[in-house]
Amino acid sequence: MGTDSVLKLDNQLCFAVYACAREITKLYHPLLKEIGLTYTQYIAMLALWEKDRITVKQLGQRLYLDSGTLTPLLKKLEQTGLLTRVRDKQDERSVIIALTERGTALKDKARAIPEQLFCQAGVSSGEAEALRAQITEMLKKVQQNPSQ
Amino acid sequence: MGTDSVLKLDNQLCFAVYACAREITKLYHPLLKEIGLTYTQYIAMLALWEKDRITVKQLGQRLYLDSGTLTPLLKKLEQTGLLTRVRDKQDERSVIIALTERGTALKDKARAIPEQLFCQAGVSSGEAEALRAQITEMLKKVQQNPSQ
DNA sequence: CCCATAAAGATTGTATACAATTTAATTTAT
DNA sequence: ATAAATTAAATTGTATACAATCTTTATGGG
């Protein structure tokens, strides 16, 4: 085996995924700026547009993010007026996230984004879907603590 | 088409890549802790073990990172004694990064990491390589400014 | 030669990420 | 029922990321 092929950057799956994630995020930046969201905020809104009135914990499980990241992010979205954060009466440990009217309405503006992005990235939706499926499978394997 | 399939989180390639990158990073954490590196520092060292005495600019192109991220990271690795940062005599705008003896020696300790990670992740090296190749291709398409 | 541009790093400001800890509420086991 | 364990958020501290700006140095016309 050549000296150190296992340590070559170009052989690292991790690096490819890591670099790709950041480059895609950069691509989103100008589009998201128009609707006033950061990338992570957009991901959170995507989850909430599908299903809101969920706890921080549940949102975190969906996004693979913990309260350390979500608490400040959700406070910001609350300040912007896109959602509310209210303690659950049934279980005061939990905080329930609900979209406001404005938060729900923002979905209309977001609808054009995926299409614009595909064009920009020059990736066909077919190959994107195939790749997404594989990466998702990998994500599930790699997931450290699925119960989290 | 169902209400909003384009905005569904599970249909987003970007989210799969983004979440996967973070989960893989978490997997590395305990292994890298043993050799005293963070994930990004490890990536930087991988590049430098392959080729050092390069400028910050060149390292940034290799890693898809800019000086805003690299400057503090490299200062830290300099403090740790793994590398040196010296202005290029030929072009005082550039800073040349060179590994110290300790920096070069650390490679020996790092050699075991990729193997350990594959076992932990439960991914065969064959499928990892196939996926890596696809993501790398995608990375190149998505790259905004290759000249950068 | 001299100025306008460009290039490379460094800096600033904002927004993540996440480990580790803390606080408050709830469950569980005794 | 109550102390111990668990759980959910929030907080703290550290380390990225990156856009935007600034500083210094180099380059290229005129």
Side-chain angles (χ1 to χ4, degrees), chain A residues 3-4 6-28 30 39-40 42-43 46-47 49-50 62-65 107-108 110-114 117-118 120-124 127-132 134-139 141-145 148, chain B residues 3-4 6-28 30 39-40 42-43 46-47 49-50 62-65 107-108 110-114 117-118 120-124 127-132 134-139 141-145 148:
Chain A
T3 41
D4 275 307
V6 292
L7 289 182
K8 282 193 83 175
L9 198 57
D10 286 338
N11 294 339
Q12 307 294 320
L13 173 56
C14 66
F15 175 65
V17 176
Y18 158 79
C20 196
R22 287 185 293 110
E23 289 300 310
I24 294 178
T25 303
K26 285 183 207 170
L27 227 53
Y28 271 96
Y39 180 74
T40 313
Y42 172 65
I43 292 295
L46 283 181
W49 284 325
E50 274 182 60
R62 191 84 175 93
L63 303 179
Y64 302 86
L65 290 171
K107 190 175 183 178
D108 289 330
R111 228 167 241 118
I113 290 179
L117 198 85
F118 274 117
Q120 228 183 92
V123 182
S124 85
E127 58 184 326
E129 172 49 27
L131 191 51
R132 192 205 54 71
Q134 284 178 77
I135 294 174
T136 302
E137 201 182 328
M138 164 110 201
L139 174 57
K141 280 186 191 169
V142 154
Q143 205 183 148
Q144 281 209 289
N145 184 4
Q148 166 201 155
Chain B
T3 41
D4 276 306
V6 291
L7 289 182
K8 280 192 84 175
L9 198 56
D10 286 339
N11 294 339
Q12 307 293 318
L13 173 56
C14 66
F15 175 65
V17 176
Y18 158 79
C20 196
R22 288 186 291 110
E23 289 299 310
I24 292 178
T25 304
K26 285 183 208 170
L27 227 53
Y28 272 95
Y39 180 75
T40 313
Y42 172 66
I43 292 295
L46 284 180
W49 284 325
E50 274 182 60
R62 190 86 174 93
L63 304 179
Y64 303 86
L65 290 171
K107 190 175 183 178
D108 289 331
R111 228 167 241 117
I113 290 179
L117 198 86
F118 274 116
Q120 227 183 91
V123 182
S124 85
E127 59 184 326
E129 171 50 26
L131 192 51
R132 193 205 54 70
Q134 283 179 78
I135 294 173
T136 302
E137 200 181 331
M138 162 110 201
L139 174 57
K141 280 186 191 169
V142 154
Q143 204 182 147
Q144 282 210 289
N145 184 4
Q148 166 203 153

Side-chain angles (χ1 to χ4, degrees), chain B residues 17-116:
Chain B
V17 176
Y18 158 79
C20 196
R22 288 186 291 110
E23 289 299 310
I24 292 178
T25 304
K26 285 183 208 170
L27 227 53
Y28 272 95
H29 189 263
L31 302 176
L32 291 177
K33 200 172 182 177
E34 289 178 37
I35 62 171
L37 294 177
T38 64
Y39 180 75
T40 313
Q41 290 169 0
Y42 172 66
I43 292 295
M45 291 302 287
L46 284 180
L48 292 169
W49 284 325
E50 274 182 60
K51 178 167 175 49
D52 70 337
R53 296 173 193 285
I54 59 174
T55 66
V56 173
K57 181 76 178 176
Q58 290 169 322
L59 184 61
Q61 286 171 337
R62 190 86 174 93
L63 304 179
Y64 303 86
L65 290 171
D66 67 7
S67 68
T69 303
L70 284 177
T71 296
L73 183 143
L74 292 170
K75 280 184 178 174
K76 196 146 296 174
L77 292 175
E78 186 183 37
Q79 278 172 18
T80 323
L82 297 178
L83 52 81
T84 60
R85 297 160 60 247
V86 180
R87 286 278 163 189
D88 185 350
K89 291 294 176 204
Q90 265 66 56
D91 185 342
E92 290 276 352
R93 288 172 305 183
S94 298
V95 166
I96 295 179
I97 308 301
L99 293 175
T100 61
E101 205 170 320
R102 275 190 55 205
T104 306
L106 192 63
K107 190 175 183 178
D108 289 331
K109 290 192 190 168
R111 228 167 241 117
I113 290 179
E115 175 72 22
Q116 288 174 269

